[in-house]
PDB file of all heavy atoms in Angstrom:
ATOM      1  N   ILE A   9      -6.404  -7.466  -7.340  1.00 98.00           N
ATOM      2  CA  ILE A   9      -6.297  -8.447  -8.430  1.00 98.00           C
ATOM      3  C   ILE A   9      -7.703  -8.851  -8.856  1.00 98.00           C
ATOM      4  O   ILE A   9      -8.545  -9.203  -8.022  1.00 98.00           O
ATOM      5  CB  ILE A   9      -5.498  -9.683  -7.986  1.00 98.00           C
ATOM      6  CG1 ILE A   9      -4.068  -9.256  -7.639  1.00 98.00           C
ATOM      7  CG2 ILE A   9      -5.481 -10.741  -9.087  1.00 98.00           C
ATOM      8  CD1 ILE A   9      -3.237 -10.333  -7.001  1.00 98.00           C
ATOM      9  N   ASN A  68     -11.632  -9.804   1.844  1.00 98.00           N
ATOM     10  CA  ASN A  68     -10.869  -8.751   1.149  1.00 98.00           C
ATOM     11  C   ASN A  68     -11.263  -8.674  -0.329  1.00 98.00           C
ATOM     12  O   ASN A  68     -10.491  -8.247  -1.172  1.00 98.00           O
ATOM     13  CB  ASN A  68      -9.364  -8.996   1.290  1.00 98.00           C
ATOM     14  CG  ASN A  68      -8.933 -10.343   0.720  1.00 98.00           C
ATOM     15  OD1 ASN A  68      -9.760 -11.122   0.231  1.00 98.00           O
ATOM     16  ND2 ASN A  68      -7.643 -10.631   0.769  1.00 98.00           N
ATOM     17  N   ASP A 171     -40.238  -5.129   4.892  1.00 95.00           N
ATOM     18  CA  ASP A 171     -40.324  -3.680   4.677  1.00 95.00           C
ATOM     19  C   ASP A 171     -39.401  -3.187   3.565  1.00 95.00           C
ATOM     20  O   ASP A 171     -39.049  -2.017   3.515  1.00 95.00           O
ATOM     21  CB  ASP A 171     -40.024  -2.927   5.980  1.00 95.00           C
ATOM     22  CG  ASP A 171     -41.287  -2.748   6.816  1.00 95.00           C
ATOM     23  OD1 ASP A 171     -42.380  -2.676   6.217  1.00 95.00           O
ATOM     24  OD2 ASP A 171     -41.185  -2.681   8.048  1.00 95.00           O
TER      25      ASP A 171
END
Side-chain angles (χ1 to χ4, degrees):
I9 297 172
N68 59 359
D171 273 331

